[in-house]
Amino acid sequence: MKFKKIAALAATVVLSVGIFAGCGSQQTSSSNKKKVIGFAQVGAESGWRTAETTSIKEIPKLDSNFELKFSDGQQKQENQIKAIRSFIAEKVNVIALDPVVETGWDTVLREAKNAKIPVVIVDRNVKVSDQSLITAFLGSDMEEEGKRAAKIIIDKFGKDAKLNIAELQGTVGSTAMIGRQKGFNETIKNCPNYKIIKSQTGDFTRAKGKEVMEAFLKSDGNNINVLWSHNDDMAIGAVQAIEEYGKKPGKDIFIVSVDGTKDMFKLMADGKSNGIVECNPLLGPQLLDTSKQILSGKLKDKIVHTKEGAFTQEQAKKELPNRKY
Ligand code: GZL
């Protein structure tokens, strides 16, 4: 009888240790479990975008406690919304969104909030009815970029010059397009003879930028003094169109664009462009840092703007070797 009691007691002890250890191991494994960031990217429309994707995909190399789930939205909002819903279903720790356009996000971001998943808006911004849907924003001041682009033109020609400007707009409804256009137009208000005679979207791509510039040149080629392009890729397409039209880009037509890609710096070093406003795509480290702060409950700043510069043709050759994207 005594032996049986001891055996039963021993079995109970083993079982409870096992369960505890199991819990403990679950506890340990969950604390060792990697943190997952789900990133809903705009697409792959430009050199800038590719550089941003590369930078964010490198997060797990910067910190092996983090894993990245990536979705390419192919420049369609419905794809990005689907991606966010799948991240919610997969119970990621943080959702990062680079929104193709500013509006139409309230419903899906409320679903993320109800699932208690923090959302970090990266690069472009969103317009939502309830700011609590967004935990943090990190990216550029796009209005400032537009102002800097206008300033390069004013510094070159003076505010009293008579200038006809052709504008290649970015993706309609995106923060980059809205902000840059606003900043540029506000700055040239003080230049009574600056006229935007052509303005159309090239959707941030080289192909569309070339196509739209061809149409501008066909209808008014001899009257365009300046090309203002919301990004480098459309300007690169436009340079091809200008050359095929028989004019000299950077000489017959003064060209200013935004991003600061290597390809654009090469064109500017060759004298085919005149000004570049930098927009930093290397947001991976900042997204990792912001995610860590959020997950440890110590978010420092809800809004973080990236630091950027502006460059003219004279600076191109010297700056080109420094370009990281
Ligand atoms: C700007 C970014 C823009 C780039 C383009 O922050 O969203 O989108 O300027 C890219 O090159 O397509």
Side-chain angles (χ1 to χ4, degrees):
M1 187 54 182
K2 197 175 171 197
F3 173 74
K4 274 187 180 170
K5 271 187 180 169
I6 291 166
L9 182 64
T12 315
V13 167
V14 167
L15 185 63
S16 56
V17 166
I19 291 169
F20 185 73
C23 292
S25 63
Q26 273 166 3
Q27 211 58 31
T28 325
S29 64
S30 68
S31 57
N32 286 347
K33 205 157 152 272
K34 287 185 188 263
K35 301 295 181 201
V36 183
I37 299 172
F39 177 41
Q41 176 59 296
V42 170
E45 73 283 357
S46 67
W48 188 99
R49 186 66 57 206
T50 311
E52 185 201 26
T53 293
T54 304
S55 175
I56 289 177
K57 278 186 171 176
E58 279 172 359
I59 283 177
K61 284 187 206 151
L62 298 174
D63 185 330
S64 59
N65 296 317
F66 279 79
E67 189 188 314
L68 187 90
K69 286 185 182 296
F70 176 83
S71 162
D72 175 340
Q74 294 170 331
Q75 286 194 286
K76 290 186 174 55
Q77 180 171 37
E78 63 266 24
N79 292 343
Q80 291 195 287
I81 290 172
K82 271 191 213 128
I84 293 170
R85 289 196 165 121
S86 68
F87 294 150
I88 293 170
E90 290 165 279
K91 297 185 170 46
V92 300
N93 300 94
V94 176
I95 289 172
L97 167 66
D98 192 333
V100 59
V101 291
E102 286 192 337
T103 55
W105 302 102
D106 288 69
T107 303
V108 75
L109 294 182
R110 183 158 305 286
E111 291 167 24
K113 184 177 181 186
N114 293 341
K116 297 187 177 22
I117 300 176
V119 174
V120 180
I121 303 298
V122 181
D123 170 35
R124 299 180 190 178
N125 213 332
V126 294
K127 274 197 185 332
V128 287
S129 56
D130 171 2
Q131 280 308 314
S132 74
L133 298 178
I134 308 302
T135 303
F137 167 81
L138 53 101
S140 304
D141 180 342
M142 313 282 189
E143 274 187 42
E144 182 56 35
E145 291 168 347
K147 289 175 184 167
R148 288 180 183 164
K151 197 174 170 312
I152 289 172
I153 299 166
I154 295 167
D155 288 352
K156 171 72 182 173
F157 296 100
K159 63 181 180 53
D160 299 321
K162 186 181 178 310
L163 290 176
N164 290 331
I165 300 167
E167 178 185 27
L168 284 172
Q169 300 169 13
T171 300
V172 176
S174 69
T175 311
M177 178 261 170
I178 294 166
R180 288 170 188 168
Q181 188 174 64
K182 185 165 182 276
F184 186 92
N185 290 354
E186 274 176 5
T187 308
I188 66 167
K189 263 191 193 141
N190 310 321
C191 312
N193 300 313
Y194 282 27
K195 294 268 176 294
I196 295 181
I197 60 167
K198 298 281 176 196
S199 181
Q200 193 178 325
T201 184
D203 215 16
F204 284 132
T205 67
R206 293 189 187 193
K208 199 89 172 85
K210 182 176 185 215
E211 188 187 308
V212 173
M213 191 66 199
E214 283 165 348
F216 286 171
L217 291 163
K218 194 160 172 242
S219 66
D220 221 349
N222 291 323
N223 285 330
I224 297 171
N225 310 112
V226 173
L227 170 63
W228 152 226
S229 176
H230 291 190
N231 87 326
D232 290 348
D233 284 71
M234 294 188 293
I236 290 166
V239 162
Q240 289 165 11
I242 293 166
E243 289 181 318
E244 287 168 12
Y245 182 76
K247 282 188 174 273
K248 290 189 178 59
K251 293 177 184 58
D252 300 331
I253 296 179
F254 187 90
I255 299 174
V256 179
S257 61
V258 184
D259 277 350
T261 58
K262 270 194 198 112
D263 288 349
M264 199 69 217
F265 267 92
K266 282 180 195 140
L267 282 178
M268 192 151 85
D270 292 344
K272 295 185 177 179
S273 161
N274 305 89
I276 298 174
V277 175
E278 191 179 34
C279 176
N280 184 356
L282 308 178
L283 299 172
Q286 272 179 300
L287 176 56
L288 172 61
D289 190 32
T290 300
S291 301
K292 281 180 174 175
Q293 289 176 29
I294 291 168
L295 295 174
S296 61
K298 298 182 189 120
L299 179 64
K300 289 188 210 115
D301 304 304
K302 188 168 168 103
I303 296 175
V304 178
H305 278 142
T306 34
K307 291 181 182 44
E308 291 146 353
F311 303 87
T312 58
Q313 197 178 87
E314 296 68 38
Q315 299 162 308
K317 282 198 175 73
K318 186 162 164 274
E319 175 61 20
L320 182 55
N322 305 331
R323 303 312 300 169
K324 296 190 185 72
Y325 56 93

